[in-house]
Amino acid sequence: MILSRVLQQLVNGLSIGSIYALIAVGYSLIYSILRFSNFAHGSFLVVGAYAGFFIVTAMSIPFIPAVLLAILTAGLAAVTTERVAYRPIRERNSPTLYFIIASMGIAIFCEHTIVATIGPKFRTYPRVLAATGVDLGLVSMSKMDVMAAFMAFLFLIVLQYFITRTKQGCAIQAASYDLQAAGLMGVNVNRLVGTVFLIAGILAGLSGVFLGMKYTVYPQLGYLTIKAFVAAIFGGLGSLPGAIAGSLLLGVMEAFIAAFLSSQLRDLFVFSLLIAVLLVKPGGLMGKYVEEKV
Amino acid sequence: MNPMLRVDDLHVHYGIIHALKGVSLEVQEGEIVAIIGANGAGKSTFLNTVAGLVRPSAGTVMFLGKRLAPRAHEVVKAGIALVPEGRRVFGNLTVHQNLMMGAYLRSDTAGIKHDEERVYKLFPRLQERHRQPASTLSGGEQQMLAIGRALMSRPSMLLLDEPSLGLAPILVKDIFATLREINAEGTTIFLVEQNARQALALASRAYVFQTGSIVLAGPSGELLRNKQIQEAYLGARGADRKRRRQSKVSQPPA
Ligand SMILES: Nc1ncnc2c1ncn2[C@@H]1O[C@H](COP(=O)(O)OP(=O)(O)OP(=O)(O)O)[C@@H](O)[C@H]1O
Ligand SMILES: [Mg+2]
């Protein structure tokens, strides 16, 4: 029976880890291009979660198109944020600190706008998928978790293909090394940054929908992104496979600690891990860029 | 004849620093023209402004009769490619991918392939290393790659910012010979150099920059005989001081 418990926690961990991965990858992508920690990333997630909630409850649209509409909304929110808040800073060549402060401001603005307009209430997604689990012998998973993990990997594989196999993806890689030099190649830098925010917003929005369905929707849901930031740093900032690996590992470790030690220790563990990683291996597990770039 | 590139009263400010103070100059099609001048004279600022990386506070840049938009990708589209100071190749991409980035605006697969071969013919060392990440190249190889990458856009004008920086004299000779070859094939060349002797040997004429202004201009032969130039830039005392400085590594600004 212990084997079954271990496997069950492994599955639970991978399931939450795949949602962290959606957040961590977008966060890491923005970091790799603009070199700052986008604290507004949680806002994109929250926009996706609320958009999904209202579209699913208020409109009679089938579930999948509803999700697509919700994540597109989050993507557009991200593009708008970049256009309105970050581009002016970028074009003035201001210090990185300005980006960080602006992103914190946006996160606070977004949270309080939601509290003031939609309200601070926790909202529950309607049951779109039967609560019944999928029984896989030793372990079981809810249908929701299976679908979330499946969609997360689908999106991440498509993204990986886009980045490594297409011309625009190659430009994003080049820009992550030297944004200005990418401009010298004929890349429209503003459009490239916009594309990166669209992708990051869509991924964050998708994670928001899943988190909303798994738990509930509330204005502070975005704080969960901090864990994905830890995962991204753990895996190696700027490396997309690193962000994915870090997220899955973090999810699994969390699940084991909550199940076999205590759920109170879980968050303490997450932040201890961050500090330990930063001390021992500042580049993270796969942080090849970091060494080149410092 | 209308000049290919015509710059009128160009001013650039970095905050309170007035880096270019009304620069006007012209380059004709097919020429090789050089800019020489001491550190901090504004040479890179000038090239970067033409290339659309830096916005001028006043003045105009006309290229082939049209006003150049101060945006890097528009400038490339218009037919100007910059080989920036410090090379700035994409260290995380392979040599081949770097060249493909140079051809970013093109979609003629056959023509791109042909031009890649041409770059390998100009710089055979790049062919041997075409699958290697650019970060693993030596400084000289990175300079070759930076030039090759710029050629991949098929520019009608090539801007080069200190191509000799940090290179061994023998390699500088090679690269300058290649530049002459590129020019003979029809590309106008406008380069900035600290290595004044080499620059004046390559270019037919030159502008001398000093603290943001042009202080002297003329055919290379004339400048080579000029007393002031000999003392300031060709003198035995401080000749090529800069080349002994550690080479700038190709890395993005932190
Ligand atoms: N990004 C910047 N911000 C502020 N000042 C700058 C910036 N870039 C250049 N400057 C200043 O502008 C002036 C001209 O610099 P520029 O780099 O154009 O000189 P340069 O002639 O290319 O010198 P070098 O031969 O050393 O490359 C210098 O005083 C420099 O300090
Ligand atoms: Mg310079």
Side-chain angles (χ1 to χ4, degrees):
Chain A
M1 263 315 87
I2 183 78
L3 175 68
S4 146
R5 270 189 73 199
V6 168
L7 284 179
Q8 184 62 52
Q9 290 316 320
L10 187 66
V11 167
N12 292 354
L14 290 175
S15 154
I16 187 73
S18 63
I19 296 180
Y20 290 162
L22 288 175
I23 310 170
V25 161
Y27 169 77
S28 203
L29 198 55
I30 291 177
Y31 176 83
S32 74
I33 301 288
L34 295 186
R35 316 252 128 212
F36 79 102
S37 177
N38 176 31
F39 290 107
H41 208 67
S43 309
F44 308 159
L45 180 156
V46 173
V47 168
Y50 274 100
F53 173 79
F54 285 115
I55 293 168
V56 171
T57 49
M59 302 183 205
S60 49
I61 302 179
F63 182 63
I64 296 287
V67 171
L68 294 181
L69 205 57
I71 65 181
L72 201 61
T73 309
L76 292 179
V79 172
T80 309
T81 302
E82 196 283 320
R83 183 73 189 76
V84 174
Y86 301 154
R87 191 188 290 186
I89 300 175
R90 197 153 49 77
E91 292 189 336
R92 280 197 305 267
N93 290 321
S94 301
T96 303
L97 186 62
Y98 285 39
F99 284 110
I100 296 175
I101 304 283
S103 73
M104 287 176 170
I106 290 157
I108 294 168
F109 170 84
C110 182
E111 179 186 331
H112 290 276
T113 307
I114 290 173
V115 171
T117 54
I118 305 173
K121 248 187 7 190
F122 285 58
R123 287 159 195 270
T124 313
Y125 265 70
R127 282 241 164 278
V128 274
L129 290 171
T132 52
V134 181
D135 206 337
L136 306 163
L138 282 176
V139 295
S140 71
M141 252 177 117
S142 77
K143 274 193 181 143
M144 216 291 296
D145 283 348
V146 174
M147 190 200 58
F150 174 76
M151 295 233 328
F153 280 100
L154 186 69
F155 272 69
L156 293 176
I157 288 168
V158 170
L159 177 66
Q160 182 67 15
Y161 178 86
F162 174 71
I163 301 258
T164 53
R165 291 290 137 84
T166 68
K167 190 163 153 177
Q168 283 79 13
C170 194
I172 289 177
Q173 288 185 60
S176 79
Y177 200 84
D178 190 335
L179 187 61
Q180 253 195 354
L184 290 176
M185 304 297 107
V187 175
N188 183 337
V189 167
N190 282 337
R191 192 179 302 157
L192 179 137
V193 173
T195 307
V196 163
F197 273 81
L198 182 68
I199 294 170
I202 284 175
L203 296 180
L206 189 63
S207 73
V209 171
F210 292 148
L211 288 170
M213 281 166 38
K214 205 171 163 73
Y215 308 118
T216 50
V217 185
Y218 53 99
Q220 292 80 23
L221 184 62
Y223 289 147
L224 261 172
T225 46
I226 302 223
K227 289 190 180 171
F229 298 172
V230 174
I233 294 168
F234 184 40
L237 251 190
S239 150
L240 299 195
I244 296 173
S247 300
L248 295 179
L249 266 171
L250 185 71
V252 169
M253 285 191 280
E254 272 191 2
F256 277 98
I257 286 171
F260 298 108
L261 289 173
S262 113
S263 56
Q264 262 115 41
L265 285 181
R266 196 182 58 190
D267 289 353
L268 177 65
F269 168 77
V270 169
F271 292 99
S272 311
L273 177 72
L274 174 65
I275 293 168
V277 167
L278 290 179
L279 286 176
V280 179
K281 206 164 180 302
L285 296 177
M286 304 188 185
K288 54 185 163 106
Y289 289 124
V290 180
E291 283 169 41
E292 282 170 14
K293 266 173 167 160
V294 170
Chain B
M1 198 166 73
N2 275 334
M4 187 178 207
L5 179 78
R6 181 177 161 165
V7 178
D8 261 316
D9 197 27
L10 199 65
H11 289 262
V12 170
H13 287 83
Y14 295 111
I16 54 163
I17 299 172
H18 197 173
L20 284 188
K21 303 166 185 164
V23 169
S24 303
L25 55 75
E26 291 179 359
V27 176
Q28 306 290 339
E29 189 161 0
E31 276 193 301
I32 303 184
V33 179
I35 294 177
I36 57 176
N39 292 128
K43 307 181 298 295
S44 298
T45 299
F46 175 79
L47 282 196
N48 290 342
T49 309
V50 173
L53 293 180
V54 173
R55 283 184 191 212
S57 35
T60 55
V61 181
M62 303 282 291
F63 184 67
L64 296 171
K66 286 203 203 88
R67 200 171 161 158
L68 269 188
R71 317 193 58 202
H73 69 278
E74 302 277 359
V75 173
V76 184
K77 213 177 285 176
I80 298 181
L82 169 69
V83 180
E85 187 174 56
R87 296 139 203 169
R88 295 172 75 167
V89 296
F90 302 113
N92 58 338
L93 302 182
T94 64
V95 167
H96 165 75
Q97 285 175 316
N98 268 274
L99 294 179
M100 290 304 110
M101 280 307 298
Y104 187 77
L105 290 176
R106 298 171 56 185
S107 47
D108 54 323
T109 321
I112 293 173
K113 189 95 204 76
H114 172 270
D115 286 355
E116 190 185 6
E117 294 302 323
R118 174 177 167 234
V119 169
Y120 290 150
K121 214 166 279 161
L122 288 171
F123 303 111
R125 274 210 256 175
L126 293 182
Q127 176 145 39
E128 290 161 31
R129 289 161 175 70
H130 75 281
R131 285 162 178 278
Q132 242 169 267
S135 59
T136 65
L137 299 182
S138 76
E141 289 160 356
Q142 289 191 8
Q143 187 60 264
M144 297 175 198
L145 180 56
I147 296 172
R149 185 180 67 175
L151 289 176
M152 289 302 291
S153 68
R154 269 204 193 165
S156 40
M157 179 179 275
L158 188 61
L159 308 178
L160 299 118
D161 196 342
E162 305 211 28
S164 76
L165 187 64
L167 302 188
I170 173 83
L171 200 54
V172 174
K173 253 178 104 179
D174 276 0
I175 289 205
F176 275 53
T178 307
L179 291 179
R180 196 181 291 282
E181 210 174 310
I182 292 166
N183 176 253
E185 288 173 28
T187 309
T188 307
I189 290 183
F190 195 9
L191 83 163
V192 156
E193 261 302 333
Q194 282 267 328
N195 189 337
R197 197 177 298 279
Q198 293 277 1
L200 293 177
L202 177 70
S204 55
R205 47 190 199 90
Y207 294 93
V208 182
F209 274 44
Q210 201 177 328
T211 56
S213 310
I214 294 175
V215 289
L216 212 58
S220 299
E222 225 168 84
L223 292 176
L224 278 168
R225 286 189 299 274
N226 182 301
K227 262 260 147 37
Q228 277 171 284
I229 299 290
Q230 284 178 353
E231 264 169 32
Y233 305 107
L234 305 169
R237 284 178 303 139
D240 300 345
R241 215 170 316 169
K242 178 139 182 204
R243 296 217 342 261
R244 261 179 254 137
R245 225 171 67 180
Q246 252 204 331
S247 82
K248 295 178 193 174
V249 233
S250 164
Q251 273 190 358

